Amino acid sequence: MDNQALPFRKLGNSDVSISALGLGCWQFSKGNGMVGKFWPSMKQEDINEIIKICYEGGINWFDTAEAYGKGQSEEALGDALNELGAEDALVATKWWPLLRTAKNIPRTIDQRLQALKGRKIDLYQVHQPYSFSSAEKEMNAMADLLEEGKIGHAGVSNFNAASMRKAHEALQKRGFQLSSNQVKYSLLDRRIEENGILEAAREIGATIIAYSPLEQGILSGKFHRQPELLKNLSGPRKHFSQFKGKALAKSLPLIDLLEKLGEEYGVKPGQVALNWLIRYHGDTVVAIPGASKLRHAKENIGTLRFSLSDAHMEEIDAMSKKVTKG
Ligand SMILES: NC(=O)c1ccc[n+]([C@@H]2O[C@H](COP(=O)([O-])OP(=O)(O)OC[C@H]3O[C@@H](n4cnc5c(N)ncnc54)[C@H](OP(=O)(O)O)[C@@H]3O)[C@@H](O)[C@H]2O)c1
């Protein structure tokens, strides 16, 4: 592995510098609430350690949400950053829109700030597009918070290209910009390249925040090489089609390639997958792998310290397209 400078990106059109990898904090939901039950509950000591490893390894921002354990993940993150004294670490969280109107955004912002234990909200995202209010109304509520200084930047998540543009226009009318769209994107899920989301992000100048960038662990190769791990999966993943034998057989040639290149660079297959993701589209895409073990965090930050050659980037691109489309 060569020792390169850590890649940093601007968040949207702002002056804020974010590391090309952030840490996804859904795993820190402590088994609370419907969304939080996806992952097994983790001890706060382990969460503290993972956040420390990431922060000291060059990650300067952390993505959480109200829905992750009904605030438990936000609290765990706030506690860990405060204990670490990581004053300069940036926090992205999300408002949950389902069965709510935009009026709920100002109504609940103080709860979010409280859950974060006094940390600032550097990026506030609308978690998904399903809501009783329009994107315009939601962005107007976000603009109010921006004017009051309660949040640093506004973003969305799981919005399609048309809704992204509407959100951006609404913010622009108030003198702000849409900073980001957080969407599912990995070597095994290239839909944003074809459905206009990536194009809209480039046009607007918004950052794409890639979630599930390791396809929830599949791109580490562990489920291909140790299929017995599939039996131990405790959450909904065991029912997901991509974790079934047929899908794993289809993605195997990609895992083989990631492993082969990993050997050349002295890194792990998951690191190759993440490295591709944060470089292939220039500065537009950043990624937020989650970690439930210390070794994941250690491994994932290693992604920031090497670069794949152009030829290898193209080879991975071609294989990824082959296994996702073929
Ligand atoms: N906006 C949204 O709607 C949305 C949706 C999903 C996720 N997200 C965000 O994106 C973040 C990441 O997405 P994700 O958690 O769905 O998927 P991911 O980052 O692709 O996968 C994380 C999981 O992969 C495994 N893993 C991670 N690093 C590994 C390594 N180095 N070696 C082996 N296995 C490794 C772990 O699984 P095990 O725990 O089983 O070991 C970990 O829990 C979340 O934490 C959340 O912040 C947002």
Side-chain angles (χ1 to χ4, degrees), residues 27 63 157-158 182 212 214 216 222 237 288 290 292 300:
Q27 280 71 6
D63 177 80
S157 176
N158 298 305
Q182 183 175 137
S212 305
L214 289 169
Q216 299 199 322
K222 64 183 176 185
R237 278 186 296 173
I288 46 168
S292 65
N300 298 345

Side-chain angles (χ1 to χ4, degrees), residues 23-28 38-40 42 62-65 68 73 94 96 125-128 156-158 182-186 209-223 233-234 237 243 268 270-271 274 287-293 295-300:
L23 176 69
C25 298
W26 182 14
Q27 280 71 6
F28 308 155
F38 195 97
W39 304 100
M42 291 176 63
F62 298 82
D63 177 80
T64 179
Y68 300 165
S73 164
K94 310 182 197 84
W96 185 249
Q125 306 153 97
V126 173
H127 204 141
Q128 38 106 333
V156 293
S157 176
N158 298 305
Q182 183 175 137
V183 285
K184 187 162 181 291
Y185 183 51
S186 79
I209 301 176
Y211 73 69
S212 305
L214 289 169
E215 205 60 35
Q216 299 199 322
I218 293 175
L219 286 164
S220 72
K222 64 183 176 185
F223 297 112
L233 284 177
S234 56
R237 278 186 296 173
F243 288 85
K268 293 281 183 5
Q271 293 174 309
L274 291 174
I288 46 168
S292 65
K293 323 254 174 344
R295 65 172 182 276
H296 296 161
K298 282 185 194 147
E299 201 172 297
N300 298 345

Side-chain angles (χ1 to χ4, degrees), residues 69-218:
K70 295 184 173 169
Q72 291 279 327
S73 164
E74 292 173 320
E75 288 187 27
L77 174 64
D79 280 339
L81 291 176
N82 287 340
E83 189 178 295
L84 200 53
E87 294 305 324
D88 56 343
L90 305 172
V91 171
T93 190
K94 310 182 197 84
W95 171 72
W96 185 249
L98 202 69
L99 302 176
R100 284 174 165 174
T101 68
K103 286 192 183 130
N104 184 268
I105 293 177
R107 213 179 279 149
T108 51
I109 189 67
D110 289 334
Q111 290 167 22
R112 305 276 54 77
L113 289 163
Q114 251 168 30
L116 286 163
K117 309 286 175 95
R119 306 290 311 189
K120 283 197 300 163
I121 298 175
D122 298 286
L123 174 66
Y124 203 33
Q125 306 153 97
V126 173
H127 204 141
Q128 38 106 333
Y130 309 108
S131 160
F132 289 140
S133 290
S134 61
E136 287 88 337
K137 284 199 172 130
E138 289 171 351
M139 290 307 123
N140 265 318
M142 288 288 196
D144 290 342
L145 298 184
L146 286 162
E147 277 169 3
E148 288 167 41
K150 292 224 163 174
I151 61 172
H153 298 85
V156 293
S157 176
N158 298 305
F159 273 39
N160 66 23
S163 308
M164 269 176 90
R165 288 197 172 91
K166 276 189 196 143
H168 183 59
E169 277 162 25
L171 284 168
Q172 271 187 319
K173 281 188 194 145
R174 299 281 304 270
F176 300 106
Q177 316 227 11
L178 183 73
S179 291
S180 57
N181 190 8
Q182 183 175 137
V183 285
K184 187 162 181 291
Y185 183 51
S186 79
L187 280 170
L188 287 173
D189 187 343
R190 313 259 321 243
R191 287 172 297 171
I192 65 161
E193 295 171 13
E194 286 171 3
N195 60 18
I197 290 179
L198 185 61
E199 200 185 318
R202 285 210 187 96
E203 197 183 295
I204 292 170
T207 297
I208 289 288
I209 301 176
Y211 73 69
S212 305
L214 289 169
E215 205 60 35
Q216 299 199 322
I218 293 175

